[in-house]
Each structure stands twice: as C-alpha cells, then as structure tokens.
Amino acid sequence: MNTTLSGSRQSSLMMLPSMVDELPNGFESGDFFALDMGGTNFRTVYVKLADTHGDMDDLQMDEFPLGEDMHHLPGDKLFDFMAEKLVKFAERIGKKSESGQLPVVGFCFSFPLKQKSVNHGTLIKWNKGFTNSESVGEDPTDMLEAALARQGMKSRVMSLVNDTVATLAACRYQDQDTMIGVILGTGSNGAYVERAEHVHNAAKKLPKGANMIVNCEWGNLTTDVMPRIDEDKAIDAESVNPDNQHFEKMTAGLYMGEIARRIIQRLAEEGALFGRRVPAGLRTKNSLSTPQMSKIDHDTSTDLLITADILQKACGLAVDQITFHSTEVVQEICHLVGWRAGRLKAAAIAAVMRQLDREDGTRTVVGVDGGVFEHYGYYRDAIKAGLVDIMGKKAAEAVEFRHVNDGSSLGAAYLAAAKIRAESLQNGDHSESESDLGKENRGMQEGPSTHNKSGDKAKKGRQADAE
C-alpha cells in the first residue's frame, strides 16, 4: 500500500487518490441527481436534501439492468444510454426544465479512475466484464456532459467517484466514525480515509493535516502469492482480462458460483459424485450463480431438498442422480468457497486497519454495500472470524460493519452536495453554524468524531420512502 502511495513505483494494488477531501456532514441542502453505473445495473436517483440538519425531503430512483450487450457497447453509445435515461427520469419526476438545465449531478462510475479533481478523471481500465477499450483514457464527466448535450440538456457534474468511495461517503453521512468503505457484490473493492502525508501520488499536493479518501482497487491485486486452485486459474485464463484481478476473481459475487460449479464438475467427472452421467448443464459455464451457491450454503431443509432442487434446475441433474451424500458434498463445496472468500476479504480489511493504525480497539465503522454482504450470512461470518484471527478479539470487535442501502447512489449525491456546500463557504456564505460545522466535519482534518444521530434520522426517512 505505502509503496504505491509513495509514487515510487506502481503495483497491481492501485491505491488511487479520489481527490475527495470534503465529505458530507448533514449540513448540505438542495436538489441533486445521481447516476450510478455499476456492473449489473444502472440507476438514476433524485434526492432533495432539507435545510434542517441531516434531513431528506424526497428520494426517488429508477434502476435499469445492464445486459451482456451493454458491456460491449462503444463508449459514446453507453453514455448516450445513461443520458437518455437521466433525461426521461427528470421528465417523469418533473425536474426537466424548459431551459434544458438539470440539477447538479453526482456521478458514481464504478471503474478504476485516475482522478484529476473530485469531479474529473480518466478511465484507467474497464472491469466487471466491460470491454469498451476505446473509452480508456477518456474523462467520464466529459463523456456524460457531451451525451447530455446530444439530448439537448446540460448539468454540472460535481462529483465523479466509484461505488466504494461513494459508499464510504454515504455511511459517513450517518456516522462520523466511518473510516472505510467496502463493496461486496458483483465486484469487490475498498476505500479509506488516508492521512495527507502518506499520499504522494495525488494530482495535487494536500495541505498539512488534511486527509483524502484513497480508493484501493484491491480487486485488482494480482500476485502469485495468492493461494489459487486450478479452478481459479482456469476462470482467470478464460476471462476477458487474463492474469489480472486475481483477488476479485477469488472473492467477488461474479465468480464465486462459477468456482463452486467447476469444483463440483471436477468431482462429478473424476469421482462419479452423481454416478456415471455428467449432465451438460453441470458443464455449462456460469450455470450455478453466487446467489444459488449462497442458498445451498444456507440450506437447512430436510434432506437438503433446496440443494437438490437447485442442482436439478441449474445444472440439469436428474432426480435419480442426486443422493443425500452428494448434496452434502455440494453444500460443503459451496461453504468452503464462500468461507475462503470471506476470510480473504478479512485480510484486506485488516491491512487497511493496520494502515490506519487503528488496531488498538478504537471504534471504526466500515460502510458496506453490495448484495453478497447483504444476503450471504456465512460470508459475513467469515469476515468477522477472519478479523479476530488476524487482529485479535479486542481490535476486531471494535470494527463495526454497517450496511448502507443504496450507498453508491446516495453517496455520489451527498458528495456533489458537499462540494456545493464547500464552494458556498469559500465564496463567503457562512449561514451555517460554524461551531456545528466544525464539529461535524472535522473528520477529514483530524480523524473521526462522534456518531451522527441526525444521519440515523435521515436513514429512517429514506427507508420509509423506499417502502
């Protein structure tokens, strides 16, 4: 981590400065859009932040699945798709003005970026199965604003961040002890609040005593030291980016189900786990998904009937091929794949805690977004057990995981709002209480402060709106 941050040489652990040095504190207000471009879905979000501290007056969003065809579109077509969806969303909720001016946009773009500022950067590479190579080196903010112009609209994009940085920001809005943001879903990544004196690879020099969010891009970690098995190596070799992202391919939701399927297939072929016949479905790539793997791992039904049903429907096994013994073996495989992934994530989080020098039992909140963390209980258990083994019980119990619903979407909007608030203060608008502002936002200057109870109230409001 420090080698890359020093700027002395690059490694597969990218440690990208986000240029975010102003986090939301609950004093933001106004109308904001957010666009959230991830691996499996695209979201358009509208949020109206109230004038009262930490309150939200309105929250609306639309979500659109990203099919396989979207992963290979030319860059301008992909951004045209996003711009079109935003304009239609704005029209639906009554926020499309005749002048063509949209509210400020926060852009969550969940791919590795070389940040020039909090709202500008260049795309380093695609991941999550995207292959639009001609867009590498381009600025997503410029591409989005150009796409909006083609729709006859314009807006100020005030934040350009990835989902991990946005999740950290969304959790920080709720709790000022948040120091780490983690994505545990289709892909995986971590970000944290780093001291300025450690960040030498940023686009601008930071003032002494300041902090900045660093995007680890730990999914990109590629090293022969990783304990990879034959199935890991085969998945890597057949991927769109071979010999890249070893860590993500061993731990993320996009890959865990396929790892389990390949192990099950090998036992079926070499050990006759299901008898002499190996159905074509079991040999079909990605026929077992990570959500199905999680259901098998959590199966407590009589005779493991849920596992048997998944094997029939997903892998094409006949009823007479499935025995209680074979379902037990399949469940153990799924459990081990998930447990290994969780413990590897624990190692990554423990490394960040060591970097933060917070192994002394100081309360540290980790904001987490992603379906794997939300729905896969044994995966969460593996992370927590791994932290105890690595850090010791006292330090591990001081690490508090907080699931942040829609963290990547809301975080992008909150960061855009924080940028507007900071600009307002720089321009001489001191209408906020200086004492309260200093108390709530000192985290980016001096470290974490106290729990933001108003953030909890805002969270409850968001949950009520969503329901």
Side-chain angles (χ1 to χ4, degrees):
M1 295 173 74
N2 284 319
T3 297
T4 307
L5 285 173
S6 71
S8 60
R9 66 180 177 87
Q10 291 295 313
S11 74
S12 60
L13 194 62
M14 292 181 173
M15 304 300 291
L16 302 173
S18 69
M19 306 310 294
V20 172
D21 55 3
E22 188 74 37
L23 278 170
N25 60 16
F27 285 96
E28 296 78 16
S29 63
D31 297 297
F32 300 92
F33 277 128
L35 299 184
D36 187 353
M37 179 68 179
T40 56
N41 295 290
F42 170 68
R43 285 179 176 176
T44 55
V45 179
Y46 165 74
V47 59
K48 182 176 181 63
L49 301 178
D51 291 332
T52 51
H53 181 219
D55 283 341
M56 181 183 295
D57 286 339
D58 194 12
L59 170 64
Q60 299 187 55
M61 66 176 65
D62 281 343
E63 184 171 276
F64 309 93
L66 297 173
E68 183 68 22
D69 57 326
M70 299 296 295
H71 288 64
H72 309 295
L73 279 180
D76 58 343
K77 300 297 183 184
L78 184 63
F79 279 81
D80 282 341
F81 164 81
M82 288 188 271
E84 179 185 352
K85 295 301 183 185
L86 175 59
V87 171
K88 288 183 178 179
F89 176 67
E91 187 172 21
R92 181 178 71 77
I93 65 174
K95 293 296 177 181
K96 180 182 177 183
S97 67
E98 293 184 3
S99 67
Q101 183 68 47
L102 294 172
V104 166
V105 171
F107 190 11
C108 178
F109 187 72
S110 302
F111 304 91
L113 296 169
K114 183 175 178 59
Q115 296 279 165
K116 300 176 183 176
S117 65
V118 70
N119 60 338
H120 282 282
T122 56
L123 176 62
I124 296 174
K125 61 187 287 187
W126 290 99
N127 52 22
K128 302 180 178 71
F130 281 77
T131 58
N132 323 70
S133 59
E134 73 280 0
S135 301
V136 173
E138 298 293 327
D139 186 334
T141 293
D142 291 345
M143 295 183 74
L144 177 60
E145 290 179 343
L148 284 169
R150 291 193 288 272
Q151 296 284 329
M153 306 297 290
K154 57 184 177 179
S155 179
R156 292 177 71 196
V157 178
M158 294 301 292
S159 67
L160 173 66
V161 293
N162 77 345
D163 50 359
T164 320
V165 173
T167 295
L168 193 161
C171 194
R172 184 73 164 235
Y173 187 84
Q174 301 168 9
D175 194 317
Q176 294 291 297
D177 282 339
T178 303
M179 297 294 287
I180 303 173
V182 174
I183 296 296
L184 298 175
T186 305
S188 176
N189 193 13
Y192 70 103
V193 180
E194 179 61 275
R195 294 185 291 276
E197 59 264 30
H198 291 164
V199 183
H200 300 284
N201 58 339
K204 69 176 182 180
K205 189 173 182 179
L206 301 175
K208 188 175 181 180
N211 292 313
M212 178 178 287
I213 298 178
V214 170
N215 165 26
C216 298
E217 286 295 340
W218 68 32
N220 199 62
L221 181 63
T222 301
T223 170
D224 292 335
V225 175
M226 298 289 288
R228 297 196 300 159
I229 59 175
D230 290 344
E231 285 71 21
D232 297 317
K233 295 174 183 177
I235 288 172
D236 177 43
E238 296 170 18
S239 69
V240 297
N241 56 346
D243 204 26
N244 258 291
Q245 296 181 286
H246 289 175
F247 190 71
E248 180 160 292
K249 289 170 184 174
M250 295 172 70
T251 61
L254 185 62
Y255 302 99
M256 286 191 292
E258 177 63 5
I259 295 169
R261 183 200 67 80
R262 288 177 182 244
I263 297 171
I264 296 166
Q265 177 188 341
R266 178 146 65 108
L267 285 179
E269 292 173 343
E270 299 178 7
L273 180 61
F274 304 109
R276 296 180 179 179
R277 290 177 290 123
V278 179
L282 187 56
R283 290 192 172 108
T284 302
K285 187 176 180 180
N286 295 319
S287 59
L288 183 68
S289 68
T290 297
Q292 289 169 324
M293 186 191 98
S294 173
K295 287 180 181 179
I296 290 173
D297 194 3
H298 290 95
D299 185 7
T300 58
S301 63
T302 303
D303 296 330
L304 296 177
L305 292 178
I306 293 174
T307 299
D309 185 61
I310 292 173
L311 289 172
Q312 290 177 60
K313 292 178 179 177
C315 302
L317 285 157
V319 175
D320 62 357
Q321 289 182 278
I322 301 173
T323 65
F324 181 65
H325 169 70
S326 65
T327 55
E328 281 187 312
V329 172
V330 167
Q331 185 178 57
E332 182 66 11
I333 290 168
C334 291
H335 180 73
L336 290 172
V337 170
W339 194 258
R340 179 189 72 158
R343 289 180 68 85
L344 285 170
K345 287 291 165 49
I349 294 168
V352 174
M353 289 292 291
R354 179 168 295 179
Q355 179 73 9
L356 289 168
D357 195 21
R358 296 175 76 86
E359 297 177 289
D360 58 354
T362 301
R363 181 177 184 264
T364 303
V365 176
V366 180
V368 188
D369 197 6
V372 173
F373 182 84
E374 182 178 5
H375 300 295
Y376 197 165
Y378 288 145
Y379 190 93
R380 295 194 300 271
D381 293 344
I383 293 174
K384 293 173 183 177
L387 286 178
V388 171
D389 289 345
I390 297 169
M391 299 173 58
K393 186 176 181 181
K394 178 183 176 182
E397 288 182 346
V399 179
E400 182 179 320
F401 291 91
R402 187 163 185 163
H403 181 243
V404 188
N405 285 309
D406 307 317
S408 57
S409 303
L410 291 174
Y414 294 159
L415 285 168
K419 180 68 172 175
I420 294 293
R421 173 178 55 76
E423 286 186 354
S424 177
L425 289 174
Q426 288 171 0
N427 293 333
D429 181 1
H430 298 285
S431 58
E432 299 167 350
S433 165
E434 290 293 338
S435 61
D436 285 346
L437 178 61
K439 183 191 302 180
E440 293 292 338
N441 201 42
R442 69 186 181 192
M444 287 303 279
Q445 298 296 321
E446 301 172 3
S449 60
T450 56
H451 185 67
N452 184 348
K453 294 181 180 178
S454 297
D456 278 341
K457 183 165 70 170
K459 182 183 180 185
K460 291 177 182 176
R462 290 194 296 274
Q463 290 173 338
D465 290 340
E467 291 170 359

